[in-house]
Amino acid sequence: MPFKIYKKYVMLLAFTAPALIFYAIFLLIPTISGMYYSFTDWNGLNPNYNFIGLGNFVESLKEDPDFLNSLWFTLKYVLVMIMLQNVLALVLAVLIESRTRSKGFFRTIFFMPNMISTIISAFMWTFVFSSVLPQIAEKTAIAFLGQSWLGDPKVSFFSIIIVSLWNGVGYMMIIYLAALQGVPQSLKEAAIIDGANAFQTLRSVTLPMITHAITICFFLTLNGAFKVYEVVYGLTGGGPGRSTQVITMNIYEEAFSNNFRYGYASAKSVILFAIVLIFTLIQLRVMKKREVEA
């Protein structure tokens, strides 16, 4: 290998080495270790533990109703968030992009909730649900607002969805706005000349041109929804009972609150990783195929 090329690779390695080291220490090694410990009965403290094979996986999938309920609740949350968050973000982006004035103002307004910490947002909305809305219901006689938003299992799910959308729609909206600005104006004008109305132009011209942005937003929403924790913790803490417990809360509880079953919690984490990986691969495959067709 010529000296110049060798020197080039050495310099590249020198510049990337710090990032690679931090990546290995804080992500790669813990991930591999977690996969290993998922096959053990380690409690996270005792240096001695036993290798039990697939015992943790069998127990979590067959003998742990709390885990299965949290998994079902998480899947329901993921499906609702994927649809609502992307639809609302796209609608807002289209409406803002169609304005000739005040684009910057509306972009800022709708993106501002994303700048607030998720846990702080959850605490803010807890105050709204528990104090503000009941007061409004009492003064306006609108009984709907006075219901138990966080204490009723049938309603608390929608409260979590509302806060999650309020906190996350703005970020997706910015991505869609960036994609919409890249759509050639000449294509829209040609569609209008051919007699297409606004909806037909959006469906036949704009959406096919921003399929890449839709793929990115679906990917981000999917992964973020599976890893949701702060919103649920701040609003309901997984309650009432365990009716709103997401899978990440169940894993945390198992590792640090329920007899420190670290190996068992690691097995649940591996299951979550496998589920997210499968859903992500399916989503990317479907969306990439649509990108090609578009």
Side-chain angles (χ1 to χ4, degrees):
M1 181 182 295
F3 178 74
K4 289 185 177 180
I5 298 179
Y6 176 79
K7 183 179 179 181
K8 175 183 177 182
Y9 282 111
V10 171
M11 292 296 294
L12 288 175
L13 181 61
F15 280 112
T16 57
L20 291 175
I21 292 172
F22 278 101
Y23 177 80
I25 293 175
F26 293 104
L27 185 63
L28 189 60
I29 294 176
T31 300
I32 297 174
S33 299
M35 290 183 177
Y36 170 76
Y37 288 126
S38 67
F39 298 100
T40 70
D41 62 355
W42 188 41
N43 63 3
L45 299 173
N46 195 329
N48 300 317
Y49 53 85
N50 300 311
F51 187 82
I52 60 175
L54 298 176
N56 289 327
F57 297 92
V58 174
E59 180 181 351
S60 60
L61 295 175
K62 287 189 175 182
E63 304 172 10
D64 193 342
D66 291 335
F67 175 71
L68 296 178
N69 290 336
S70 67
L71 178 58
W72 164 245
F73 182 84
T74 304
L75 289 173
K76 184 170 63 172
Y77 173 85
V78 169
L79 293 176
V80 174
M81 284 298 296
I82 286 176
M83 298 307 299
L84 289 183
Q85 183 159 288
N86 284 281
V87 169
L88 290 175
L90 181 58
V91 169
L92 286 174
V94 171
L95 292 176
I96 292 174
E97 181 62 22
S98 63
R99 296 184 62 87
T100 56
R101 290 183 174 183
S102 305
K103 287 184 181 181
F105 172 77
F106 286 106
R107 279 200 302 262
T108 303
I109 290 297
F110 286 110
F111 184 74
M112 280 181 65
N114 187 259
M115 301 172 64
I116 303 174
S117 169
T118 306
I119 190 67
I120 297 299
S121 300
F123 289 147
M124 288 168 50
W125 277 93
T126 299
F127 174 75
V128 172
F129 286 133
S130 60
S131 300
V132 177
L133 294 184
Q135 289 292 329
I136 295 176
E138 182 179 343
K139 296 183 181 299
T140 61
I142 304 177
F144 170 75
L145 298 178
Q147 62 185 312
S148 179
W149 289 90
L150 304 177
D152 187 345
K154 297 180 180 179
V155 183
S156 54
F157 173 74
F158 298 102
S159 302
I160 294 171
I161 293 295
I162 291 172
V163 179
S164 299
L165 291 174
W166 181 81
N167 194 258
V169 165
Y171 184 79
M172 301 302 164
M173 178 200 70
I174 293 297
I175 298 177
Y176 283 125
L177 273 171
L180 289 172
Q181 291 173 359
V183 178
Q185 189 65 28
S186 58
L187 293 179
K188 298 179 183 179
E189 294 173 353
I192 294 174
I193 293 174
D194 289 339
N197 56 34
F199 177 76
Q200 291 172 330
T201 302
L202 175 65
R203 183 188 62 183
S204 302
V205 177
T206 305
L207 289 182
M209 293 292 295
I210 64 169
T211 312
H212 60 287
I214 297 176
T215 301
I216 294 172
C217 288
F218 268 65
F219 172 80
L220 294 175
T221 306
L222 176 69
N223 283 268
F226 267 114
K227 295 185 292 184
V228 63
Y229 182 88
E230 298 97 328
V231 171
V232 181
Y233 177 80
L235 287 174
T236 66
R242 296 175 182 265
S243 59
T244 61
Q245 187 182 69
V246 289
I247 190 170
T248 51
M249 294 187 68
N250 184 271
I251 293 171
Y252 178 87
E253 180 183 82
E254 205 67 62
F256 302 106
S257 302
N258 191 11
N259 298 323
F260 294 95
R261 300 186 65 189
Y262 190 89
Y264 188 44
S266 297
K268 292 182 176 182
S269 299
V270 173
I271 294 174
L272 175 60
F273 170 78
I275 293 173
V276 174
L277 179 62
I278 292 172
F279 273 81
T280 301
L281 291 176
I282 293 174
Q283 180 256 323
L284 290 177
R285 183 178 180 85
V286 172
M287 297 303 295
K288 287 294 183 181
K289 184 178 179 181
R290 296 201 172 202
E291 285 186 33
V292 173
E293 293 175 351

